[in-house]
Amino acid sequence: MKKLLGMVLLVVLLITTTAITSVKPNAMHTIEGTWELQSFYNYDGENIIDTVPLAEGYRQVKMYYDGKVMWSRTTSSDTKDSDGNDVVGRFGYGTYELTDTELIETIEYGDKGMMRDLEALRKFTFELELKDNTYSQISTDAEGNRTFSENYKRVD
């Protein structure tokens, strides 16, 4: 009986020691939450060459949750669409996927202008730089050179 109790105690001690000393991998940052656009970067193919602040009256917010993305944006009242109409806001809704290096958004629904634009392109693939409270979605050209990015800050 003492041998059995000793053996059980040894196994419990071994499991506890292993659990305490095991190195736990770093969890991947999560994009789930609400983000607000802060600025744009222009690139020379690899490096940032210019930071473009938001125009007065421009605000863009994105929300990611459970594989779904929704974004909305407001602009100043002097923004016109291709038909010459005032545009003060846009929105879109769809799904997203993440890899270690990419953000892929597929827009399913949006405002009238967005739906017209979606006839040509629904799936957007960006290079992704994701940290705890900031992220950048970087657009690239056909050769993979960086062209510009949208830079976001976590709201919640």
Side-chain angles (χ1 to χ4, degrees):
M1 183 69 156
K2 284 184 178 181
K3 286 184 179 182
L4 181 59
L5 186 58
M7 187 75 105
V8 170
L9 186 59
L10 183 61
V11 168
V12 169
L13 182 63
L14 185 62
I15 291 171
T16 303
T17 304
T18 302
I20 290 171
T21 60
S22 293
V23 176
K24 299 197 177 24
N26 289 336
M28 188 171 135
H29 299 292
T30 181
I31 201 165
E32 286 200 3
T34 305
W35 302 82
E36 185 165 359
L37 184 64
Q38 300 296 299
S39 65
F40 302 93
Y41 292 155
N42 289 318
Y43 289 83
D44 65 1
E46 183 59 33
N47 300 304
I48 299 167
I49 57 171
D50 190 23
T51 301
V52 180
L54 301 181
E56 186 176 333
Y58 187 97
R59 186 172 187 203
Q60 182 165 303
V61 175
K62 283 190 166 187
M63 293 178 281
Y64 295 93
Y65 180 73
D66 199 25
K68 302 294 183 186
V69 59
M70 189 168 102
W71 65 267
S72 66
R73 130 177 126 198
T74 56
T75 59
S76 61
S77 61
D78 61 349
T79 303
K80 305 282 187 192
D81 67 13
S82 59
D83 296 326
N85 302 310
D86 286 333
V87 176
V88 293
R90 297 206 63 183
F91 71 90
Y93 170 81
T95 59
Y96 76 92
E97 300 172 53
L98 284 184
T99 71
D100 288 343
T101 59
E102 289 184 325
L103 168 62
I104 304 149
E105 295 179 354
T106 304
I107 303 302
E108 300 168 9
Y109 176 74
D111 62 86
K112 182 179 177 182
M114 176 57 70
M115 294 306 292
R116 183 181 57 239
D117 293 345
L118 290 178
E119 291 177 12
L121 181 64
R122 287 185 179 264
K123 187 173 187 175
F124 301 87
T125 301
F126 305 102
E127 181 182 335
L128 177 65
E129 288 185 355
L130 176 61
K131 298 179 182 166
D132 287 332
N133 294 310
T134 61
Y135 89 87
S136 294
Q137 61 182 51
I138 305 166
S139 296
T140 55
D141 63 17
E143 287 81 40
N145 299 308
R146 292 175 168 182
T147 56
F148 69 94
S149 70
E150 293 180 358
N151 310 303
Y152 290 84
K153 178 180 166 188
R154 185 182 296 277
V155 175
D156 84 24

